[in-house]
Amino acid sequence: MPKLFSYSVLAAVTALVAFGAQAQEFPAAGRTITIVVPFTAGGPTDRVARDLAQALIKPLGGATIVVDNTAGAGSSIGTAKVARAAPDGYTLLLNHIGMATMPGLYRKLPFDVENDFAYLGVINDVPMTLIGKPNLPASNYKELTSYIAANKSTINLANAGIGSASHLCGLLFQSAIKTELTGVPYKGAAPAIADLMGNQVDLLCDQTTNTSQQIEGKKVKAYAVTTAKRLTTPGLKDLPTMQEVGVPNFEVTIWHGLYAPKGTPPAVVKKINDALKVALKDPTFVKNEEGLGAVVASDKRVEPAEHKKFVAAEIAKWTPIIKAAGVYAD
């Protein structure tokens, strides 16, 4: 019996040593790292992922990194794919604020956002803008609130679909002004913005990656930005914040984060996080993100523990707002 016990201990130690060696060798030569993006190619999140993939190659020792677009069901399909993947660091997830809103939008999810993933760090923040159709009578936010008060039964608020960034921002806006507006959902931001520019819908709250060009070209009316401070982007620097126009605690950014499946070895998590921190300071990556109107993360949320804490706070923030609206994606 003691001999058998010794063999068992030896086997366990051998397995642990092999497991540790595997973590130390990450990424192994010839292995491809896949970043799953739970949205279609060409969109804002996809662009962030492809920029990040390039910036991660060097700090991960020249590894081959590919982007896999697994879209559908408000990002839950691609997210579930990563939750089921082998916890070895070779399958990662890059998702946006949807990680915090899915628990409220879906009554049943095949994963637990807070417990089924290893958190690797926040990547960036993309501001939101409140914009209106060109022929809307209101020229500034004060005039807009008066116009809404007088015409709230006829004003509509477009969004890019249930659970989209614009939908969430719209819900928060209605909650802030204590007024329910008629929602007009679209299959994506592009058709929503096109109809806004064509005076077919009244208002839209969407991210700068989708609205900057239209604002700078004066193709829409812009009322406010949803960040705590004004933006420094030349075409948007004159936009007041929501706090400035009298809406306290209204701060919404579409942040992106990187994740791995639960159970990924701590040594692998550290290697990816270390590489992420280097990538976030890469001049080309920073320039590309600025071109999207995004601000690269440089605060404590780049640490895995702080990233997880941040997402938990975002879930607590968005779930009551979604439930109060009574809108579900399933």
Side-chain angles (χ1 to χ4, degrees), residues 50-60 275 278-280 282 285:
R50 292 180 189 278
D51 288 341
L52 183 66
Q54 287 299 311
L56 283 171
I57 292 174
K58 186 175 179 180
L60 282 175
V278 173
L280 295 183
D282 180 272
F285 178 73

Side-chain angles (χ1 to χ4, degrees), residues 62-115:
T64 299
I65 305 175
V66 299
V67 173
D68 171 22
N69 297 95
T70 303
S75 83
S76 64
I77 293 177
T79 302
K81 181 177 181 177
V82 176
R84 296 191 301 265
D88 54 13
Y90 292 99
T91 303
L92 307 177
L93 169 71
L94 194 153
N95 201 355
H96 64 18
I97 193 173
M99 290 296 278
T101 58
M102 279 189 286
L105 285 168
Y106 290 86
R107 285 162 287 200
K108 289 184 179 180
L109 282 172
F111 52 82
D112 183 325
V113 170
E114 294 188 71
N115 297 303

Side-chain angles (χ1 to χ4, degrees), residues 216-235:
E216 291 174 10
K218 301 190 184 304
K219 295 177 181 178
V220 296
K221 287 191 173 180
Y223 296 105
V225 65
T226 64
T227 48
K229 297 179 180 178
R230 289 197 183 198
L231 303 178
T232 56
T233 310

Side-chain angles (χ1 to χ4, degrees), residues 12-47:
V13 170
T14 302
L16 285 171
V17 170
F19 191 69
Q22 181 184 20
Q24 287 177 357
E25 292 168 4
F26 178 87
R31 291 292 303 271
T32 297
I33 297 173
T34 299
I35 298 178
V36 175
V37 174
F39 301 98
T40 55
T45 302
D46 176 67
R47 291 168 67 183

